[in-house]
Amino acid sequence: MDGAVLLPQAAGTPGCTKQADAFRDNIKAIRDQGAEVYGISTDSVEAQADFHKEQQLVFILLADPDGVVTEQYGQRRCRCCTLAKRWTFIIGPDLTIRQVQHDVDPTMDAQRVAAEIHAPEEQRRPTPRRPDHAIRVIRGPAATTRG
């Protein structure tokens, strides 16, 4: 099963809300391809749970308030606060990261993921190689919020 892992900045911010809503609204196209969506941010479990309920999300949100998992994905939090940058990872069935998109457009990201999740290799957008990003899915101590 393929998957997409979203690293939005913070629950309830305008960009994060647009991105989460777009994935909620496009989840059928992604799941029809046998893929799943997970969101993770440096918010608290309570903030993630409130956001999940308010936005009526239908995918799992993970809380990483200490930033441990987020940093293992190669994310650096902003210097001025605890926000991470907005990235999306497409994960293959073998749990390797197939694609990383940096600074994604929150309104168009879900449609892009739905189109690229099972696209043949030659049709996928190339992933810019960065020496600091993880190469395997990190299984860490993040807390889960289910809908």
Side-chain angles (χ1 to χ4, degrees):
M1 169 185 282
D2 285 336
V5 176
L6 317 175
L7 293 176
Q9 292 181 320
T13 60
C16 179
T17 300
K18 288 176 187 175
Q19 185 180 29
D21 290 352
F23 272 92
R24 178 199 61 213
D25 297 344
N26 286 281
I27 197 73
K28 183 176 179 346
I30 294 168
R31 287 184 175 155
D32 282 352
Q33 297 182 69
E36 191 51 71
V37 173
Y38 302 91
I40 184 168
S41 77
T42 54
D43 290 301
S44 69
V45 173
E46 295 79 18
Q48 289 287 68
D50 290 345
F51 182 68
H52 193 272
K53 183 177 180 181
E54 289 166 9
Q55 299 309 123
Q56 301 175 357
L57 300 179
V58 293
F59 55 88
I60 294 171
L61 293 181
L62 302 166
D64 182 27
D66 296 328
V68 173
V69 175
T70 304
E71 288 179 14
Q72 288 178 340
Y73 268 97
Q75 276 275 25
R76 303 280 190 271
R77 293 193 270 182
C78 298
R79 294 174 193 225
C80 62
C81 57
T82 61
L83 298 180
K85 295 179 181 178
R86 185 176 291 110
W87 291 2
T88 300
F89 295 81
I90 295 181
I91 310 297
D94 60 353
L95 299 181
T96 59
I97 296 172
R98 285 193 359 219
Q99 187 182 89
V100 181
Q101 292 299 315
H102 306 275
D103 302 319
V104 298
D105 178 337
T107 60
M108 301 303 297
D109 194 34
Q111 292 174 339
R112 183 194 58 77
V113 167
E116 293 188 20
I117 202 124
H118 280 297
E121 189 72 35
E122 64 274 3
Q123 293 177 4
R124 293 184 196 146
R125 270 174 80 178
T127 297
R129 290 289 173 201
R130 295 175 65 133
D132 62 342
H133 81 266
I135 59 168
R136 294 200 56 83
V137 173
I138 306 302
R139 296 175 195 248
T144 304
T145 300
R146 285 188 191 254

